[in-house]
Every structure is written in structure tokens, then in C-alpha cells.
Amino acid sequence: MSNNLLAGKRGVIFGALDEDSIAWKVAEQCVAQGAKITLTNAPVAMRFGGVQKLGEKLNAEVIPADATSLEDLENLFSKSMEALGGKIDFVLHAIGMSLNVRKNRGYTDLKYDWMQKTFDISAISFHKVMQTLYQMDAMSDWGSIVGLSYIAAQRTFPDYSEMAESKALLESFARSFGYHFAEKNKVRVNTISQSPTMTTAGKGIKGFQEFFDYADKMSPLGNASAEACADYCVLLFSDLSRMVTMQNLYHDGGFSNMGMSPKLIEG
């Protein structure tokens, strides 16, 4: 259902890979709620995904950008403002990748050059995105920036490996840059700690199906879907959340506050 919550707003969505991506659902919902957007992903990811198809569907320009490259980001935001006709009102950072996880390197046997790449792609890119927006003065007053996180930033999930530290760093960047953006032009910065979600990236993690089922039983409301996360992003991009900033917001069906669920004991 559309309430035109984002009517007249302009946004940039990072990370839409395929129809299972949270970013894909966010892009669709933002446009349904009246926004104009541009889409972006790393050139290598674009070769394997369907973001061009999404762009055609949503009448959204697709602009390749490596989020670890300041030059690419400057080009992205310049072209986005040109395509959208003004400054940017909202940005979604939905980027995460670990070579150690992909190649099944255990946490006690990590390759450190891969770890550094994980941090750069999954977390430091968030700071680069915000710093570029800040220095270009590309965000509208009272804009909104959101990064997708996960509760492994606070709790130990062994198979999540160094992505846990990436998410902790991502959340810290949101708090730190949130202060500076609020002082500059009232832009708010938050992270969403989302339930395990059946995305292409999520399904690539060892034991993901078992953990997805566990989290679903542990959460009183069940796991939050990608579509529900898209709705929550729309709320954070809208004027209804104008005083919310520097927060890590749990969107997980109650998982984060549970100790034990009878459903797990009953089997």
C-alpha cells in the first residue's frame, strides 16, 4: 500500500543485486511511496545481478560505483543529483562481503589481507559514502542515511566470522558521523539490525538455513522479511522519523530481547 510517504524525495540505493536483495525491495518500495531514485552497485556485482532490469522497471538510472573508491563515489553522487534534479534526501548502504567467509576460512585461521578487504567493503565504505556526501554538500536538510547491520555486532555467531567486526564498525560510524551530519544540516544517520534474511549473500553463509530456522523460533514475531525491512527503511527515510538519529534499530521480530523461547525447547 502506498501512502506517498516519500513523495518528492530523491534517493540513492546501494547494493541491489537480485530480487532476493533487501536493497532491491527497498528500491521498489521507495518508488512505490513516491520517491525518485538512482541505483548503484560495484561493476563486478552488476555483471552477475539484475540491477539493470530493476532500473528499467523503476525508471531509475543505474550508476556503477565501487563504494571503496572516493572517485567513484564522487561521480555517483554528482550524476545522481543531475539525474534526480537536486540534492539527495536519503541513502541506503546495503553492502557486505567477506572473502574469508566465502572461502570457508575459519575465524582462527583468517587471511588478514582478506579481512582488511572485508572491513573496507563492508564498513569503511559506509564512512566513505558519508564523507563524500558531507564534503560535496550533497544531502538535503533533514535527509536520512541508513546502513544495514546485524546483531553479530553485539553477540557471537561463530560462522559469521569477521563480518561481526565489520558490522560493529558500521554501527560506530553511524553514531560518529551522525553527530557531524546533524550539526551540519540535520541529516540523520542510523543502522538497522535486521533478522537473518534469505538473500543471495545470506544463503552463502555456512549453516544459514539452520540459523534462520533457529532465529525464527526465537523471535516472538518471527523473522522480519526483506519486504518488512523495506517498509522500515521507508519510515526512516520519511519525515515521520525526523528526530531519530545515531541509533542502531533492531528489526528482528523481538530476537534481540529474547533469552530463551519455549518453541526451541519444545522442538
Side-chain angles (χ1 to χ4, degrees):
M1 182 178 71
S2 174
N3 300 297
N4 283 323
L5 287 175
L6 302 181
K9 293 192 181 295
R10 310 174 183 94
V12 178
I13 305 293
F14 285 81
L17 180 66
D18 55 36
E19 293 179 356
D20 291 330
S21 303
I22 293 174
W24 188 289
K25 307 296 186 186
V26 173
E28 290 180 323
Q29 187 65 333
C30 286
V31 170
Q33 292 289 348
K36 291 173 60 180
I37 65 169
T38 58
L39 298 162
T40 185
N41 212 326
V44 64
M46 290 178 63
R47 289 201 295 269
F48 296 102
V51 68
Q52 295 288 357
K53 180 176 72 173
L54 179 64
E56 292 170 9
K57 175 184 176 182
L58 301 180
N59 193 29
E61 186 168 340
V62 179
I63 305 169
D66 177 350
T68 68
S69 165
L70 295 174
E71 182 180 355
D72 278 14
L73 291 172
E74 289 170 4
N75 178 66
L76 166 66
F77 296 132
S78 292
K79 287 187 175 178
S80 291
M81 287 189 286
E82 183 179 338
L84 299 173
K87 289 188 179 183
I88 298 161
D89 297 297
F90 63 87
V91 175
L92 176 72
H93 179 282
I95 302 169
M97 193 281 291
S98 167
L99 283 172
N100 281 300
V101 171
R102 282 189 179 183
K103 296 180 181 295
N104 296 314
R105 293 289 295 242
Y107 190 75
T108 58
D109 186 34
L110 296 180
K111 287 189 66 171
Y112 288 112
D113 56 339
W114 290 355
M115 176 189 276
Q116 289 169 349
K117 182 169 285 190
T118 298
F119 292 165
D120 197 22
I121 294 171
S122 307
I124 298 172
S125 66
F126 192 40
H127 192 286
K128 290 179 178 179
V129 164
M130 290 189 286
Q131 181 168 290
T132 304
L133 288 164
Y134 188 93
Q135 293 183 353
M136 292 179 67
D137 194 26
M139 291 295 295
S140 300
D141 292 355
W142 295 99
S144 177
I145 300 171
V146 171
L148 295 186
S149 191
Y150 182 52
I151 198 173
Q154 288 79 33
R155 300 184 188 177
T156 301
F157 297 92
D159 290 332
Y160 203 61
S161 194
E162 87 270 29
M163 279 299 297
E165 285 80 13
S166 290
K167 294 303 187 184
L169 185 56
L170 181 92
E171 293 174 14
S172 182
F173 284 146
R175 290 187 294 271
S176 298
F177 226 122
Y179 165 79
H180 294 284
F181 252 129
E183 288 288 312
K184 179 179 175 70
N185 58 343
K186 306 301 183 185
V187 171
R188 55 208 191 269
V189 182
N190 297 288
T191 53
I192 295 175
S193 188
Q194 167 71 1
S195 294
T197 310
M198 284 292 182
T199 63
T200 300
K203 288 182 286 190
I205 298 172
K206 178 184 174 184
F208 183 80
Q209 182 64 57
E210 291 77 9
F211 181 67
F212 180 91
D213 295 339
Y214 164 81
D216 199 44
K217 289 181 178 180
M218 178 67 84
S219 308
L221 294 178
N223 289 332
S225 67
E227 290 82 0
C229 188
D231 289 338
Y232 197 39
C233 286
V234 166
L235 169 65
L236 291 177
F237 295 151
S238 79
D239 293 338
L240 297 179
S241 62
R242 287 180 71 151
M243 299 307 292
V244 180
T245 195
M246 300 163 63
Q247 302 298 313
N248 180 51
L249 302 161
Y250 290 100
H251 186 255
D252 61 3
F255 180 92
S256 51
N257 274 327
M258 290 295 292
M260 177 51 68
S261 170
K263 293 178 184 177
L264 289 171
I265 298 173
E266 293 163 2

